């Protein structure tokens, strides 16, 4: 007999696992790091992956293409001091320190599903601030339509840069309305602690309704533009990876189905779970794409 999730999970959790917490999660606090998160109405109540799972099964090609390479290699990344160059179509371009963009006092906890385009998923309790709050600090100009992001390039600290697979720096981008959406955050922590290097320290994007590759790590540049920016996976293989990359169980990857996913850590009991439209965030984000052909704009 194959056990289903409902047989290994308390019923209350099962019944609400696809729903959002209405009134807020427990406030967490970590005196060791001084990080604490205010509760968020956007968090899922699904069972969270363990810290061990979240920090030992990663994609971070700057440190190697294997899932355990980042855990082994990312410790070399010097994450302090760290600043982000915010430029392009903003009123106040310049170099912004991470501590000013995401002060500990402003951090919120967001427990989000993360769905990789490779069809595995996790639930991760991030700490972060909305990207909107960061962009407002720089003052977005009225002509701006897109936001582009770049990861650090540090050959001495990133052994994966020698792999010629991706044209470095790793690049990502969002439409401005996606960037300003309240679900979109810049994370500086997880599980109440400072973000581990393999997860994108000191500051990374998290866009929970898009495939994981959109959630770019260790960001050093944010640029507001009126042109759709180039993004790493689209540059590499445009027929397989689009600019939007919204999680969509009805639009398959050319080489595999996107209808289901494997929840990391659930392997012993679980079969695969159904992948949800917009990764379960349709209620919040579907209106951003009304009138768009999502099979074309993959
Ligand atoms: N700079 C950079 N950001 C990146 C990646 C990467 O290789 N380099 N991999 C992406 C992919 S494919 C995924 S699924 C997520 C994984 O995030 P996690 O390791 O914190 O779970 O990071 C994304 N951000
Ligand atoms: Mo991914």
């Amino acid at each position: 007999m194959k056990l289903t999730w409902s047989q290994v999970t308390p019923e209350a959790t099962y019944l609400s696992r696809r729903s959002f917490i209405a009134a807020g999660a427990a406030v967490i606090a970590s005196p060791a790091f001084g990080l604490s998160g205010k509760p968020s109405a956007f968090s899922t109540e699904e069972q969270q992956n363990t810290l061990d799972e979240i920090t030992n099964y990663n994609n971070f090609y700057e440190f190697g293409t294997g899932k355990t390479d980042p855990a082994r290699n990312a410790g070399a990344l010097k994450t302090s001091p760290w600043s982000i160059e915010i430029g392009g179509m903003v009123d106040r371009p310049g170099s912004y320190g991470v501590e000013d963009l995401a002060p500990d006092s402003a951090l919120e906890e967001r427990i989000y599903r993360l769905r990789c385009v490779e069809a595995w998923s996790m639930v991760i309790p991030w700490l972060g601030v909305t990207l909107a709050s960061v962009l407002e600090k720089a003052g977005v100009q009225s002509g701006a339509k897109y936001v582009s992001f770049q990861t650090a390039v540090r050959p001495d600290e990133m052994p994966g840069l020698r792999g010629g697979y991706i044209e470095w720096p790793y690049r990502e981008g969002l439409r401005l309305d996606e960037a300003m959406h309240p679900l979109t955050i810049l994370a500086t922590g997880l599980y109440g602690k400072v973000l581990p290097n393999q997860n994108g320290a000191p500051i990374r994007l998290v866009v929970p309704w898009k495939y994981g590759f959109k959630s770019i790590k260790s960001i050093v540049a944010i640029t507001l533009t009126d042109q759709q920016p180039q993004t790493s996976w689209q540059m590499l293989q445009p027929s397989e990876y689009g600019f939007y990359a919204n999680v969509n169980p009805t639009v398959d990857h050319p080489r595999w189905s996107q209808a289901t996913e494997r929840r990391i850590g659930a392997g012993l009991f679980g079969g695969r779970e159904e992948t949800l439209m917009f990764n379960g965030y349709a209620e919040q984000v579907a209106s951003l794409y009304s009138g768009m052909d999502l099979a074309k704009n993959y």
Side-chain angles (χ1 to χ4, degrees):
M1 191 195 78
K2 215 158 112 189
L3 289 175
T4 64
W5 183 283
S6 61
Q7 288 167 302
V8 296
T9 310
E11 195 179 31
T13 312
Y14 175 67
L15 290 174
S16 56
R17 57 192 279 261
R18 291 299 198 191
S19 67
F20 292 93
I21 298 171
V27 175
I28 54 149
S30 173
F33 293 91
L35 292 178
S36 67
K38 295 190 205 95
S40 163
F42 294 118
S43 290
T44 174
E45 286 184 304
E46 278 175 78
Q47 184 171 323
Q48 294 164 35
N49 280 92
T50 64
L51 184 62
D52 197 56
E53 289 160 352
I54 293 168
T55 57
N56 286 290
Y57 190 90
N58 301 100
N59 276 333
F60 199 167
Y61 280 21
E62 286 86 339
F63 296 99
T65 54
K67 292 288 182 284
T68 55
D69 288 342
R72 202 169 24 251
N73 297 329
L77 184 67
K78 197 171 168 279
T79 58
S80 175
W82 192 283
S83 55
I84 298 181
E85 194 70 35
I86 306 185
M89 302 173 77
V90 293
D91 293 331
R92 293 173 290 282
S95 183
Y96 290 78
V98 171
E99 55 290 342
D100 300 324
L101 295 177
D104 288 355
S105 60
L107 297 179
E108 288 178 46
E109 181 173 59
R110 298 288 184 92
I111 306 165
Y112 284 162
R113 287 177 290 277
L114 180 136
R115 170 52 159 90
C116 177
V117 74
E118 297 163 335
W120 54 264
S121 64
M122 293 201 202
V123 174
I124 303 180
W126 303 107
L127 285 177
V129 297
T130 60
L131 176 59
S133 73
V134 164
L135 296 180
E136 278 155 16
K137 288 191 163 83
V140 177
Q141 293 180 348
S142 61
K145 294 189 176 71
Y146 295 91
V147 187
S148 79
F149 305 84
Q150 290 190 2
T151 294
V153 180
R154 305 251 188 97
D156 295 342
E157 300 169 23
M158 296 173 153
L161 295 185
R162 292 191 285 268
Y165 197 55
I166 282 174
E167 193 187 310
W168 312 106
Y170 192 100
R171 289 157 235 215
E172 259 309 331
L174 295 171
R175 226 170 50 189
L176 186 60
D177 57 345
E178 299 174 323
M180 299 301 280
H181 192 281
L183 280 173
T184 304
I185 62 167
L186 290 177
T188 57
L190 63 81
Y191 266 121
K193 297 181 185 168
V194 167
L195 199 60
N197 283 11
Q198 56 266 48
N199 294 98
I203 186 161
R204 61 89 59 85
L205 183 67
V206 182
V207 195
W209 71 94
K210 293 176 179 285
Y211 290 120
F213 68 80
K214 298 294 290 183
S215 292
I216 182 173
K217 295 176 170 181
S218 306
I219 297 167
V220 293
I222 298 179
T223 310
L224 280 290
T225 69
D226 56 4
Q227 306 282 321
Q228 184 173 305
Q230 286 210 303
T231 60
S232 285
W233 285 94
Q234 191 177 32
M235 288 164 71
L236 193 68
Q237 193 47 272
S239 63
E240 298 188 349
Y241 308 101
F243 175 78
Y244 284 94
N246 293 315
V247 175
N248 189 336
T250 72
V251 177
D252 287 338
H253 187 279
R255 292 183 280 126
W256 58 84
S257 166
Q258 294 292 25
T260 63
E261 64 198 58
R262 177 173 62 94
R263 180 61 53 84
I264 299 299
L268 210 51
F269 302 112
R272 298 176 70 88
E273 292 193 33
E274 279 181 28
T275 289
L276 301 176
M277 188 64 203
F278 297 112
N279 202 24
Y281 301 94
E283 202 182 307
Q284 286 79 18
V285 302
S287 63
L288 297 178
Y289 310 102
S290 57
M292 275 177 65
D293 181 342
L294 296 178
K296 266 193 199 136
N297 296 284
Y298 55 91

